[in-house]
Amino acid sequence: MSSYNNTARFSEARRVAIFGGTHGNEMSGVTLVNLWTKNGTEIQRKGVEAVPFITNPKAVEKCTRYVDTDLNRAFTPENLSAPGGNDLPYEVLRAQEINRIFGPKGSPEAYDVIFDLHNTTSNMGCTLILESSKDHFNLQMMNYIKKAMAPASCLVLMNEHPLLKYSTSRSVAKHPVGLEVGPQPQGVLRSNIFEAMRVILKHALDFIELFNEGVEFPPCTVEVFRVLEWIDYPRDANGNIIAMVHPNLQDCDWEPLNPGDPMFHTFDGKTIHYQGSGTVYPTFINEAAYYEKQQAFITTRRETLVASAIIKA
Amino acid sequence: MEVDQVVPLPRLPRVAVCGGTHGNELSGVYLVRELLKLQREVMKKEQEEDSKPALVLLVLSNPRAMQQCRRYVDTDLNRCFTHATLNGPLSDMAPYEIIRSRELNALLGPKGSPEAVDLVCDLHNTTANMGLCFIGYSDCDWICLHIFRHLQREMPDTPMRFLHFDVSNKESYSLDSLGKHGFAMEIGPQPHGVVRSNIYTAMKVGVQHMLDWIRLFNSGNVFEGGFVDVFTMVKHIDYPRDSETRNITAAIHPCLQDRDFCLLHPEDPLFQTFSGETVRYKGTEPLYPFFINECAYYEKGIALSLARKRCITIPAIRVKGGSLGVFRDVRDMRL
């Protein structure tokens, strides 16, 4: 069905990294990477060099999200080229080190694929995070993973927003893939969440192995949720939060939120309603780490992306 | 003891409600902040009316940990209230929480003295699926047991248990031990650093019912005796760990996860190793698990705790000396 002209060619995806502990208290990734560092049999695939790597060891040791600054926002061009050596925040130094090992970001030497393992306190289930709608390799991989996981759900969140996009640790690679599995409290390891992440990675590595063997993946469509905006908690004049996520919205990630639906519940019992102009699909609802980033949840809209056929060059 | 014999107990004129003892357990943090706001409004009115100050002390126990949204800064505040820690020598380099524990002892205690507040209710959250739990050192503190029973009756849809840690007064270590009576109100499941509105509401309603009970008690109400199930802690079980690194090598088994207070029998699954094997409970006695997969307990070497359940008889009680006036500030504290 695909013609030569419409098939996108990508070089072999040989160098693959699996990042855990980008946030030191998101335990599935920390545990999986430690496991695979000790015994990497499970992640071995023909034609693939899969490297498990703890990106933020100091934060992992303290079981905290970060030490000085959020590593998963630290890979900006300014940070990556900043002089100053040991005066720099710990995570900026780490970002420079990771860029040296797995990058440089944007260059031909950069790793082919990086999987960055995260957990969330939000009820997001299994989520893959895509940074570009034009990355057909990633789209095909995500399509493969979704089909392999079915009937279990695995949704795709796409953050291509020019202002809300951020410089992730995985962005060092040619094909960055975020894995976000929840709900799981920070610092806690839940067996079902751990196993779910393990299964996603298994399918992802299977895909890469097949691709490297020369399998052509025909054109496909992928349903994604495109990030629209972040919504903060209502606050008073001093910046203190004065309301919580409403019980009707709590845990309802990916379900439609319509104008007029309850959104927040003030501490003294009043309901604040969603005032948007149309239906949106909220996610990252009540993520612990986002209180300090002024984000109660994000809104998305559903979109279908088309991925061209892909084959190894 | 006859169940219908009424036991007279001293009045409870001073009560403390504490939040933020662990800075990332947010229901208590936000609830005490809200109560402080309400109290300021009530006190403003009382000043205008030239009436007595409120007798409910509202305390944010660990402000520095709260500011950083962490459990603690140097050391767990809720282990700093032993007599030894409160009264031992204090160096300049003492951990923040030790300094703070002494400030709290001056405010709410001194522990063991007649000046101590009559009741301390310390608000906590847990990542474990425990519902609402009272945690106390005594299984015969009739005040605490009656408050618990009152909440059970007023909040029938909220799963509620009374947890007893059999620790002597000499060894008691938590904030609630500063008062003549005290207990922790522990509500879960809630991730640390998050406030879930259903959990917050349960805590708010629970505290309100507690204050209502105290008002009724101080007014001379007779509370009839009855029966309360009490869970007494027997032992803790740690995760299987790597002998070298001490890292955990298994997670709570999916069959046990979230099943706090569901009876655990010998040979029931406890853990699932990362290579897929099941580790089973090897005790000989069926016990009730709780604090299953509490985040803060990984570093304390506790994967879950186990309790024995007993049915306790509580006597009827009333305030000693009859009613000595209405506890008006509690009425004004209606939320």
Side-chain angles (χ1 to χ4, degrees):
Chain A
M1 180 155 161
S2 66
S3 74
Y4 177 82
N5 288 333
N6 290 338
T7 304
R9 294 183 163 262
F10 291 91
S11 54
E12 165 183 67
R14 193 171 45 83
R15 293 156 83 226
V16 173
I18 302 171
F19 284 177
T22 295
H23 296 133
N25 53 10
E26 294 177 15
M27 302 306 292
S28 303
V30 171
T31 308
L32 282 170
V33 166
N34 283 339
L35 199 65
W36 290 331
T37 302
K38 217 170 155 192
N39 182 347
T41 313
E42 204 177 319
I43 56 173
Q44 278 168 12
R45 297 291 190 280
K46 207 173 86 183
V48 181
E49 289 161 26
V51 175
F53 188 79
I54 295 283
T55 43
N56 197 337
K58 258 199 195 168
V60 168
E61 200 194 287
K62 295 178 169 200
C63 196
T64 187
R65 182 177 174 84
Y66 57 81
V67 173
D68 294 328
T69 185
D70 192 335
L71 180 62
N72 214 29
R73 305 288 184 276
F75 286 76
T76 59
E78 300 74 37
N79 278 351
L80 293 179
S81 57
N86 291 330
D87 290 335
L88 292 171
Y90 172 72
E91 278 84 7
V92 173
L93 287 172
R94 273 314 279 168
Q96 292 181 349
E97 178 71 3
I98 289 163
N99 194 40
R100 265 192 290 280
I101 302 172
F102 298 99
K105 179 168 167 171
S107 77
E109 290 78 45
Y111 261 58
D112 298 295
V113 185
I114 294 177
F115 297 104
D116 193 19
L117 309 185
H118 288 267
N119 293 118
T120 174
T121 56
S122 307
N123 188 26
M124 287 168 74
C126 293
T127 303
L128 299 167
I129 306 185
L130 183 64
E131 299 192 356
S132 163
S133 58
K134 300 179 180 43
D135 187 337
H136 293 265
F137 178 87
N138 269 356
L139 281 169
Q140 286 280 1
M141 175 173 7
M142 293 184 181
N143 176 60
Y144 179 91
I145 294 170
K146 281 161 72 82
K147 297 231 155 57
M149 303 269 298
S153 155
C154 187
L155 300 177
V156 177
L157 176 66
M158 187 173 66
N159 192 359
E160 211 178 33
H161 194 294
L163 298 173
L164 302 178
K165 239 182 118 87
Y166 46 84
S167 306
T168 56
S169 45
R170 57 186 176 268
S171 66
V172 166
K174 293 175 184 142
H175 304 289
V177 181
L179 270 68
E180 188 85 53
V181 184
Q184 182 172 267
Q186 295 169 344
V188 162
L189 185 73
R190 288 180 69 102
S191 176
N192 60 328
I193 301 289
F194 171 80
E195 293 296 335
M197 193 176 275
R198 203 174 190 171
V199 166
I200 296 174
L201 272 160
K202 172 198 147 18
H203 294 312
L205 292 171
D206 288 345
F207 169 86
I208 296 175
E209 185 178 31
L210 289 168
F211 175 81
N212 288 350
E213 281 174 357
V215 169
E216 177 171 353
F217 291 87
C220 67
T221 58
V222 184
E223 187 185 63
V224 306
F225 290 82
R226 181 190 282 275
V227 169
L228 293 176
E229 60 174 347
W230 302 100
I231 308 269
D232 189 13
Y233 292 94
R235 291 172 191 269
D236 65 17
N238 298 323
N240 298 316
I241 288 175
I242 56 171
M244 309 165 278
V245 170
H246 195 277
N248 286 23
L249 178 59
Q250 178 69 55
D251 299 335
C252 292
D253 298 68
W254 312 117
E255 293 177 32
L257 180 69
N258 304 300
D261 283 352
M263 188 170 56
F264 295 111
H265 191 220
T266 66
F267 292 119
D268 53 8
K270 297 197 240 324
T271 297
I272 297 174
H273 302 270
Y274 178 57
Q275 303 290 353
S277 52
T279 297
V280 292
Y281 294 83
T283 192
F284 274 122
I285 300 172
N286 210 352
E287 159 54 49
Y290 290 173
Y291 281 53
E292 70 172 19
K293 299 193 200 295
Q294 277 112 49
Q295 291 156 7
F297 62 96
I298 65 167
T299 60
T300 70
R301 70 157 184 262
R302 290 168 80 155
E303 241 176 73
T304 302
L305 297 182
V306 177
S308 60
I310 67 166
I311 193 167
K312 184 178 77 165
Chain B
M1 175 191 59
E2 308 263 329
V3 168
D4 48 7
Q5 216 181 338
V6 182
V7 173
L9 293 171
R11 201 168 160 259
L12 304 169
R14 291 167 71 226
V15 167
V17 176
C18 306
T21 300
H22 295 133
N24 55 5
E25 293 177 16
L26 294 191
S27 298
V29 169
Y30 283 110
L31 181 58
V32 168
R33 280 186 181 154
E34 280 304 298
L35 289 172
L36 280 165
K37 257 195 240 172
L38 275 174
Q39 190 175 61
R40 277 194 285 272
E41 286 157 19
V42 166
M43 278 175 73
K44 221 172 120 210
K45 209 171 74 172
E46 282 175 342
Q47 266 168 14
E48 287 160 12
E49 294 171 5
D50 192 29
S51 43
K52 286 194 206 118
L55 295 167
V56 178
L57 283 160
L58 298 165
V59 183
L60 290 169
S61 317
N62 196 337
R64 267 180 68 185
M66 276 169 49
Q67 200 196 47
Q68 298 177 37
C69 199
R70 291 165 60 180
R71 182 178 176 84
Y72 57 81
V73 174
D74 294 326
T75 189
D76 189 344
L77 177 61
N78 213 28
R79 302 290 182 277
C80 290
F81 294 93
T82 59
H83 282 290
T85 310
L86 290 173
N87 299 305
L90 190 69
S91 85
D92 291 337
M93 303 300 294
Y96 168 73
E97 278 84 6
I98 303 254
I99 298 172
R100 190 68 190 131
S101 70
R102 288 164 181 235
E103 287 172 7
L104 290 163
N105 191 37
L107 179 68
L108 303 177
K111 177 168 169 171
S113 79
E115 289 77 45
V117 298
D118 299 282
L119 179 80
V120 172
C121 173
D122 189 24
L123 305 175
H124 286 268
N125 292 119
T126 174
T127 57
N129 187 27
M130 284 166 68
L132 194 158
C133 284
F134 275 38
I135 306 182
Y137 291 112
S138 170
D139 58 1
C140 52
D141 182 329
W142 310 135
I143 297 286
C144 295
L145 284 159
H146 267 276
I147 295 173
F148 174 76
R149 204 164 67 123
H150 179 70
L151 260 67
Q152 271 187 314
R153 287 178 169 173
E154 296 298 315
M155 300 167 70
D157 295 334
T158 303
M160 223 175 277
R161 284 105 183 175
F162 195 101
L163 265 170
H164 165 228
F165 280 62
D166 194 8
V167 172
S168 70
N169 191 275
K170 186 159 171 281
E171 304 298 324
S172 59
Y173 50 77
S174 53
L175 173 56
D176 52 277
S177 69
L178 290 182
K180 298 193 180 88
H181 305 273
F183 62 91
M185 185 183 291
E186 181 92 52
I187 310 192
Q190 182 174 270
H192 298 316
V194 159
V195 62
R196 289 179 66 98
S197 69
N198 62 325
I199 300 288
Y200 174 87
T201 301
M203 191 176 270
K204 170 170 141 172
V205 169
V207 167
Q208 183 61 70
H209 285 305
M210 176 188 74
L211 295 174
D212 287 347
W213 185 93
I214 292 168
R215 174 177 55 82
L216 288 168
F217 173 78
N218 286 343
S219 311
N221 206 57
V222 174
F223 294 94
E224 46 177 81
F227 304 98
V228 176
D229 281 336
V230 167
F231 292 84
T232 298
M233 199 281 289
V234 170
K235 60 182 174 181
H236 306 303
I237 298 185
D238 192 8
Y239 290 95
R241 290 176 188 271
D242 180 278
S243 48
E244 275 175 44
T245 62
R246 303 302 299 153
N247 288 335
I248 66 173
T249 55
I252 294 284
H253 197 279
C255 291
L256 178 60
Q257 179 68 56
D258 300 334
R259 291 179 63 78
D260 299 71
F261 300 107
C262 298
L263 193 58
L264 183 75
H265 300 93
E267 297 304 314
D268 279 352
L270 276 181
F271 303 108
Q272 187 171 77
T273 70
F274 303 141
S275 44
E277 284 115 38
T278 298
V279 176
R280 295 179 184 276
Y281 172 51
K282 292 302 179 191
T284 49
E285 185 190 351
L287 291 171
Y288 292 88
F290 64 98
F291 276 130
I292 299 174
N293 211 351
E294 160 54 48
C295 167
Y297 289 177
Y298 282 55
E299 70 175 20
K300 297 191 201 296
I302 299 171
L304 65 143
S305 302
L306 292 169
R308 218 171 263 134
K309 183 168 81 162
R310 281 147 62 226
C311 186
I312 304 273
T313 308
I314 62 174
I317 65 172
R318 69 172 297 164
V319 70
K320 209 183 252 182
S323 161
L324 289 173
V326 174
F327 193 28
R328 61 175 288 180
D329 52 287
V330 172
R331 218 175 23 182
D332 289 334
M333 291 285 295
R334 187 147 312 279
L335 297 168

